[in-house]
């Protein structure tokens, strides 16, 4: 910085430095560098003796206005960093640039599936309810005709909660199925019953079609003259509405302690269309259980099994969603990976 032209250079160098600043501290350093005694301006001022006499006055005037400009620019940036921004001083703002759109999300796919299930059952008079997701063994097992120490309890791979046991109702568990809501619903004392209990369940399990935490939806109908034909009719109606009119379901005889007779409901696999694939193995995927409510369960709910009969079914929400036509999800764990590249497809 030792000749006349350097005045212009100082200005552009100042702007370059200011744009690169990222804190008020940076601005203070720049201020000292340019306006301090040993700074650029000080040096240019002490150089005044080297300027030819006839140009000296002009040089002095330009030096003064440069000083004012530097002070003004530094002030603008100082204010920016302090937060009290005077927008009129922004020269770098592109007013015509379009703004950035905030990303728009949607309901989680499991929530969407739950809403759809509720909508499918509503016209049949099913009423959505929720019961405790952490409940006593009594409602989970005993009331469902599985007395203490019955080996069938092992099939539910239950998580026990470390909490004092209740003398009558037993240990606290994470409900391994929504069937725990059956007797709670009966004990409300409102007949007939058309319940749709959708809740989170937990079991000690994990592989491509099982996760430790999942949702089930449980239907329970109790009325006079309810028969297996009604159960089959409702299952068929649901399968056609939810999965598509061309999908096939089948019932397999099974055994549950709380239904008699009991069935397992399968649907033809939506990924391979019945050919067999890594998810279903043989073309069918098990949706869940169903059956006619066992008289002992009705009794536990204070209902006379001579007068009333009922049916129940309990299926996995995630599983049902995966079996919808066209989803092509062949591993249930994708649903819990929170990967936007996956979730944004739905
Ligand atoms: N609760 C059973 C299960 O989780 C399913 C089921 C519900 C079976 C209702 C029969 C009746 O495996």
């Amino acid at each position: 910085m030792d000749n006349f032209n350097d005045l212009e250079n100082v200005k552009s160098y100042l702007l370059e430095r200011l744009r690169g600043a990222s804190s008020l501290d940076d601005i203070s350093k720049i201020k000292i560098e340019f306006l301090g005694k040993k700074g650029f301006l000080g040096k240019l001022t002490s150089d005044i003796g080297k300027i030819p006499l006839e140009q000296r006055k002009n040089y002095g005037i330009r030096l003064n206005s440069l000083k004012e400009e530097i002070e003004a620019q530094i002030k603008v940036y100082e204010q920016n960093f302090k937060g009290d921004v005077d927008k009129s001083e922004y020269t770098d703002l592109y007013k015509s640039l379009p703004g950035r759109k905030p990303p728009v999300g949607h309901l989680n796919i499991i929530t969407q599936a739950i809403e759809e299930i509720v909508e499918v059952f509503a016209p049949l008079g099913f009423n959505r309810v929720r019961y405790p997701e952490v409940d006593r063994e009594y409602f989970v097992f005993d009331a469902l005709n599985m007395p203490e120490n019955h080996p069938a309890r092992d099939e539910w791979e239950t998580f026990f909660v470390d909490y004092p046991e209740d003398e009558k109702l037993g240990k606290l568990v994470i409900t391994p199925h929504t069937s725990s809501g059956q007797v709670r619903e009966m004990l409300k004392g409102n007949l007939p019953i058309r319940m749709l209990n959708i809740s989170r369940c937990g079991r000690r399990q994990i592989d491509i079609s099982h996760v430790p935490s999942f949702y089930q939806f449980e239907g329970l109908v109790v009325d006079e003259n309810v028969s297996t034909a009604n159960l089959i009719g409702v299952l068929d109606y649901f399968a056609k509405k939810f999965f598509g009119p061309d999908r096939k379901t089948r019932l397999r005889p099974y055994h549950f302690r709380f239904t008699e007779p009991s069935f397992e409901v399968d649907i033809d696999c939506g990924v391979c269309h019945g050919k067999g694939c890594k998810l279903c193995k043989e073309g069918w995927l098990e949706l869940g259980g169903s059956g006619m409510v066992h008289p002992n369960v009705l009794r536990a709910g204070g209902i006379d099994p001579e007068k009333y009969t009922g049916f129940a079914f309990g299926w996995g929400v995630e599983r049902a969603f995966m079996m919808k036509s066209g989803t092509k999800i062949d591993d249930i764990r994708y649903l819990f990976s929170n990967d936007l590249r996956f979730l944004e497809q739905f």
Side-chain angles (χ1 to χ4, degrees):
M1 301 284 165
D2 50 20
N3 70 47
F4 206 161
N5 290 332
D6 285 341
L7 296 190
E8 279 311 306
N9 292 345
V10 168
K11 215 168 99 183
S12 57
Y13 181 54
L14 171 76
L15 287 176
E16 190 187 312
R17 294 294 311 277
L18 287 174
R19 284 193 195 111
S22 56
S23 67
L24 203 54
D25 239 26
D26 288 352
I27 302 292
S28 308
K29 281 185 201 136
I30 294 169
K31 199 168 174 177
I32 293 168
E33 208 179 319
F34 284 83
L35 297 174
K37 268 189 203 139
K38 290 185 185 154
F40 293 128
L41 215 73
K43 181 145 190 314
L44 288 169
T45 311
S46 62
D47 279 354
I48 203 155
K50 292 184 198 158
I51 304 293
L53 211 56
E54 65 279 12
Q55 292 176 5
R56 214 171 272 174
K57 187 176 169 205
N58 198 6
Y59 181 82
I61 292 169
R62 289 184 58 192
L63 206 56
N64 259 341
S65 76
L66 176 67
K67 187 174 174 233
E68 274 167 25
E69 251 182 273
I70 292 177
E71 283 169 348
Q73 284 291 349
I74 287 179
K75 200 170 155 215
V76 169
Y77 277 83
E78 257 172 4
Q79 280 171 343
N80 273 356
F81 281 109
K82 281 184 195 150
D84 52 353
V85 185
D86 178 356
K87 297 274 189 323
S88 67
E89 309 237 27
Y90 266 129
T91 47
D92 286 356
L93 185 73
Y94 289 96
K95 293 191 178 126
S96 56
L97 262 188
R100 278 194 202 120
K101 277 197 192 140
V104 178
H106 59 71
L107 288 177
N108 181 279
I109 46 186
I110 297 169
T111 310
Q112 290 180 37
I114 289 175
E115 288 190 350
E116 196 180 334
I117 291 164
V118 172
E119 271 171 37
V120 170
F121 281 108
L124 301 185
F126 284 84
N127 188 21
R128 188 189 174 182
V129 294
R130 293 186 78 165
Y131 286 110
E133 292 174 354
V134 176
D135 206 349
R136 293 286 172 184
E137 279 179 296
Y138 175 77
F139 289 105
V140 174
F141 297 123
D142 302 64
L144 295 176
N145 200 32
M146 283 185 265
E148 201 186 350
N149 299 329
H150 194 285
R153 289 188 180 206
D154 294 346
E155 287 158 27
W156 273 265
E157 297 173 291
T158 312
F159 285 112
F160 288 89
V161 180
D162 193 6
Y163 194 77
E165 193 170 329
D166 184 280
E167 234 176 82
K168 286 199 193 101
L169 302 178
K171 296 190 184 107
L172 202 60
V173 300
I174 295 176
T175 49
H177 57 177
T178 40
S179 300
S180 53
Q182 286 190 18
V183 168
R184 284 188 173 277
E185 176 77 15
M186 292 176 196
L187 290 174
K188 277 193 197 160
N190 304 325
L191 284 164
I193 291 170
R194 277 175 183 69
M195 168 195 92
L196 186 64
N197 175 24
I198 311 185
S199 297
R200 190 192 275 271
C201 303
R203 290 188 201 181
R204 290 178 286 112
Q205 56 178 22
I206 189 148
D207 63 36
I208 72 165
S209 56
H210 297 88
V211 280
S213 176
F214 55 97
Y215 282 85
Q216 276 194 347
F217 59 108
E218 177 108 0
L220 173 70
V221 170
V222 180
D223 205 340
E224 290 176 42
N225 302 318
V226 175
S227 74
T228 312
N230 299 133
L231 165 65
I232 294 172
V234 168
L235 299 187
D236 216 52
Y237 163 84
F238 174 75
K240 299 257 182 297
K241 277 268 180 203
F242 189 77
F243 299 108
D246 54 330
R247 299 294 289 279
K248 290 194 270 301
T249 51
R250 71 174 183 190
L251 292 187
R252 273 182 291 117
Y254 202 73
H255 174 75
F256 293 106
R257 289 280 302 178
F258 37 97
T259 45
E260 182 60 36
S262 304
F263 312 99
E264 240 170 8
V265 185
D266 295 340
I267 179 153
D268 60 331
C269 179
V271 175
C272 67
H273 299 288
K275 284 190 209 94
C277 67
K278 99 173 190 202
L279 177 71
C280 67
K281 311 228 163 50
E282 283 168 356
W284 294 92
L285 207 96
E286 174 203 320
L287 264 176
S290 68
M292 301 307 292
V293 181
H294 195 287
N296 285 351
V297 178
L298 291 170
R299 278 188 203 105
I303 295 171
D304 178 2
E306 298 299 325
K307 195 167 172 216
Y308 290 95
T309 46
F311 65 80
F313 54 89
W315 299 347
V317 171
E318 294 84 357
R319 227 163 227 268
F321 177 75
M322 287 167 71
M323 289 294 92
K324 267 173 103 75
S325 301
T327 56
K328 302 249 186 292
I329 306 167
D330 62 4
D331 189 327
I332 195 169
R333 291 167 296 191
Y334 284 130
L335 293 170
F336 301 93
S337 62
N338 276 342
D339 187 334
L340 284 180
R341 288 169 305 174
F342 172 75
L343 293 172
E344 278 170 355
Q345 297 173 44
F346 300 96

